[in-house]
Amino acid sequence: NTQLALTDTTLSIDKFHMTTAILNVLENAVKYGGQSIIVSSEKINGSFQIIIEDDGIGISKEEQKKVFDKFYRVGNTNVHNTKGLGLGLYYVSQIVKAHNGFIEIESTVKEGTKVTINIPI
C-alpha cells in the first residue's frame, strides 16, 4: 500500500543509489515475513520522510542498535533461510548519510518494523 504526500518537493538526490536503498528496505520487509507493507511519505521540519512499515517478524531492541553496521545480520537462526552478507542496511545508511540525511528504525518482535528515511529538502 502507498500513502504518499502529494506535494511539490524537489530533492537533490542520486536517483540510482536512493532507489536502490529504498528497494533494499522493501526487499527486507518481504524477506522477513511482511505480509502487509505500507510506503508513505511526508514533509516534516525541512525534511522529506520516506516511511516503510511492515508486519513481519520484527527486530529486538538490542539488535536494532546494530542493523546498520557493516556485515551485521540479525542473530535469530530462524531468519537465515535467506542468503545475505549483512551489507544491505549498511548500504542504505551510507546512501542516506551521503545525502545529509538520517535513518531511523522502530520495531517490535512478532509485530513488524518501521524504517524512516529523512532527507533534507
Side-chain angles (χ1 to χ4, degrees):
N1 294 321
T2 58
Q3 301 170 357
L4 304 176
L6 300 176
T7 60
D8 289 333
T9 303
T10 302
L11 299 174
S12 179
I13 60 171
D14 180 305
K15 185 177 176 181
F16 172 79
H17 287 292
M18 190 59 71
T19 299
T20 303
I22 292 167
L23 286 174
N24 183 283
V25 176
L26 289 168
E27 287 173 2
N28 280 352
V30 172
K31 275 199 279 190
Y32 298 109
Q35 298 297 308
S36 174
I37 301 169
I38 299 170
V39 179
S40 59
S41 66
E42 57 188 329
K43 286 171 47 173
I44 295 182
N45 299 327
S47 287
F48 187 79
Q49 292 187 337
I50 302 163
I51 303 127
I52 300 169
E53 299 177 77
D54 69 61
D55 61 352
I57 62 172
I59 306 165
S60 72
K61 291 286 184 202
E62 190 59 36
E63 302 262 32
Q64 289 175 47
K65 299 174 188 173
K66 303 173 190 173
V67 294
F68 299 114
D69 293 350
K70 193 174 191 178
F71 301 119
Y72 186 78
R73 295 192 73 203
V74 173
N76 182 342
T77 55
N78 296 331
V79 169
H80 295 296
N81 55 356
T82 58
K83 302 288 184 218
L85 298 172
L87 291 172
L89 289 178
Y90 170 75
Y91 171 82
V92 172
S93 69
Q94 294 302 302
I95 293 305
V96 172
K97 285 179 190 174
H99 288 83
N100 298 313
F102 63 95
I103 187 167
E104 300 172 302
I105 190 165
E106 298 173 42
S107 189
T108 303
V109 174
K110 298 182 182 176
E111 292 183 20
T113 301
K114 176 181 175 181
V115 175
T116 304
I117 297 171
N118 294 276
I119 303 295
I121 297 174

